[in-house]
Amino acid sequence: MNTLQAYFKAPSNIALIKYWGKREIQIPENTSISFTLKNCVSKTKIICKNRNADKNISVFFEGKNNEKFVPKIEKMFQLIKPLLPWINDYEFEVHTENSFPHSSGIASSASSMCAIAACLADLNNQMLKKNELNLNLISEMARLGSGSACRSVFPNIAIWGKHSKIPFSNDNYAIDANNFLHENFKNYCDSILIVSNKEKSVSSTAGHGLMKNNPFSKVRFQSANENCILLLNALKNGDYNSFIEITEHEALTLHALMMTSTPSFMLFEAESIAIIKKILEYRNETKTPLCFTLDAGPNVHLLYPKNYKEKVHEFIKNELFQFCYNNEVIHDEMGNGVEAIQQ
Ligand code: DP6
């Protein structure tokens, strides 16, 4: 075989209903829902050749050979083997870079695993002489790399995890949920307030593991599934108040779960709490429909409708910059999902 190559870009996503707790193999304990972002992306090229050596994966991050990422990608490729039986017969060079600064503390696994999965689906097409990209296959392979990555495939909003009340929802891959988006939620914005540039003190994978013995886990998985329906109704009806209530409740629940695990983790910094208080105050005073959500770390995501953008940017500059590491804020919004890059 001649050398084949594929080049894709995939975005990060921000969960509104959080995935926190999983079973083998990468099966979520509850349904999750996320907004797909536009500016926080990974661009990944995979070069694929016949295998000569024992070691079949090398990774180049931002141009430099990077051994640290190899084990995670090796594991993903092993899990993908039933879907792409040829995968062990080839050798892969993975070249990847992120649009967001390395120092931002933003997890890149969702965007990078999704971009890798898209490259593999494209290589599969090239081998089988097929044209159409199979988004479900990309999402399923991305999930095997990192659970949340499976939601990055689709534009604007995606749902992952089987839910008895959501048609077509399933544990293997995410589904497009654009049919739930009222005009009020189109082009929604997310300004990411960078509080710390430190690596996470607990990896998501270890965090999911802690849910096995968390005393609140059963109640949590049930309430997440209930919140999915409440959130989808809010999105469908253009109801900002319910959206805000559910989204903030989910964010705080995620952190409460970490605080009540053994061992426990406190992932807020003082600045995270100061920012949250300012957001609540500002919402109360101005009635602007903005709200916060959090990942498994100290950074705060500020979510708001696009027509409030100027006003909210002004608020960030005047009131929130002071709490951000190096005044760093990444302004993002809903985006397109996975896309091929012309070579
Ligand atoms: C808090 O997808 O990073 O961001 O499947 O172990 O790779 P693995 O975990 P990961 O977990 C993400 C957790 C979260 C919430 C979410 O994105 O739903």
Side-chain angles (χ1 to χ4, degrees):
M1 177 191 83
N2 294 329
T3 301
L4 296 179
Q5 60 180 52
Y7 194 17
F8 275 79
K9 115 176 163 185
S12 183
N13 67 72
I14 178 68
L16 305 166
I17 306 294
K18 311 289 180 183
Y19 148 57
W20 200 242
K22 65 175 166 181
R23 303 188 290 272
E24 290 294 330
I25 306 163
Q26 295 285 88
I27 301 296
E29 292 283 8
N30 63 265
T31 309
S32 58
I33 302 177
S34 59
F35 282 163
T36 305
L37 298 178
K38 187 184 211 166
N39 301 328
C40 291
V41 297
S42 296
K43 289 183 179 173
T44 304
K45 180 181 281 183
I46 298 191
I47 302 171
C48 165
K49 301 179 208 156
N50 282 330
R51 185 167 178 172
N52 290 317
D54 232 17
K55 186 171 156 22
N56 70 331
I57 297 174
S58 46
V59 179
F60 296 82
F61 178 62
E62 290 171 354
K64 290 200 193 102
N65 191 292
N66 189 310
E67 288 290 324
K68 212 175 97 189
F69 294 144
V70 174
K72 199 170 165 131
I73 298 178
E74 265 172 0
K75 186 166 171 223
M76 175 189 190
F77 279 36
Q78 282 318 308
L79 295 177
I80 281 175
K81 201 179 159 213
L83 299 168
L84 303 183
W86 49 264
I87 204 162
N88 273 359
D89 303 333
Y90 294 92
E91 158 176 326
F92 301 89
E93 250 179 46
V94 179
H95 296 259
T96 187
E97 59 189 27
N98 298 331
S99 65
F100 41 92
H102 202 49
S103 65
S104 63
I106 294 181
S108 60
S109 68
S111 52
S112 57
M113 292 298 161
C114 184
I116 290 174
C119 290
L120 291 177
D122 187 55
L123 292 170
N124 189 49
N125 276 359
Q126 294 179 41
M127 290 189 192
L128 304 178
K129 311 243 177 295
K130 284 206 227 159
N131 277 325
E132 205 165 321
L133 264 186
N134 181 341
L135 296 183
N136 293 346
L137 175 66
I138 298 178
S139 177
E140 183 163 1
M141 293 194 292
R143 180 197 110 228
L144 295 169
S146 177
S148 55
C150 73
R151 299 184 309 236
S152 282
V153 173
F154 298 100
N156 307 318
I157 178 166
I159 301 174
W160 170 43
K162 187 166 176 47
H163 195 297
S164 59
K165 298 200 174 111
I166 306 175
F168 307 110
S169 61
N170 73 90
D171 289 339
N172 293 334
Y173 51 84
I175 56 170
D176 183 323
N178 278 271
N179 53 330
F180 288 98
L181 273 193
H182 183 278
E183 210 49 46
N184 282 357
F185 290 100
K186 301 232 160 109
N187 306 310
Y188 226 66
C189 295
D190 176 7
S191 291
I192 309 166
L193 305 152
I194 308 298
V195 166
S196 163
N197 67 340
K198 289 196 201 118
E199 279 211 13
K200 291 192 203 171
S201 55
V202 56
S203 72
S204 298
T205 305
H208 291 290
L210 293 173
M211 285 302 282
K212 293 218 156 66
N213 294 319
N214 184 298
F216 304 108
S217 59
K218 266 216 175 84
V219 185
R220 158 61 193 161
F221 301 142
Q222 197 183 331
S223 84
N225 286 336
E226 286 161 12
N227 286 341
C228 282
I229 298 303
L230 297 175
L231 186 85
L232 291 176
N233 283 336
L235 290 169
K236 213 167 186 167
N237 297 329
D239 176 352
Y240 289 135
N241 288 338
S242 305
F243 173 83
I244 288 169
E245 196 178 302
I246 303 154
T247 301
E248 292 186 346
H249 179 75
E250 274 288 315
L252 295 173
T253 300
L254 171 69
H255 282 250
L257 289 167
M258 284 185 266
M259 287 189 240
T260 52
S261 290
T262 308
S264 69
F265 290 90
M266 166 78 85
L267 300 183
F268 287 131
E269 295 292 340
E271 290 81 359
S272 322
I273 295 173
I275 289 173
I276 290 173
K277 285 188 170 166
K278 284 278 180 201
I279 293 172
L280 301 186
E281 254 173 48
Y282 181 80
R283 184 166 74 226
N284 248 337
E285 280 164 17
T286 65
K287 309 293 172 219
T288 309
L290 45 66
C291 68
F292 68 85
T293 188
L294 304 157
D295 244 330
N299 297 336
V300 182
H301 290 245
L302 180 56
L303 303 174
Y304 50 94
K306 192 159 191 168
N307 50 337
Y308 288 89
K309 194 167 172 176
E310 267 173 40
K311 218 172 132 189
V312 174
H313 283 201
E314 201 54 26
F315 162 57
I316 293 174
K317 233 191 277 158
N318 296 339
E319 309 260 3
L320 304 182
F321 257 4
Q322 56 177 319
F323 302 114
C324 297
Y325 176 83
N326 272 341
N327 285 343
E328 210 173 306
V329 176
I330 298 177
H331 294 295
D332 212 334
E333 60 185 278
M334 273 179 179
N336 278 343
V338 78
E339 285 173 318
I341 300 175
Q342 295 315 320
Q343 312 198 42

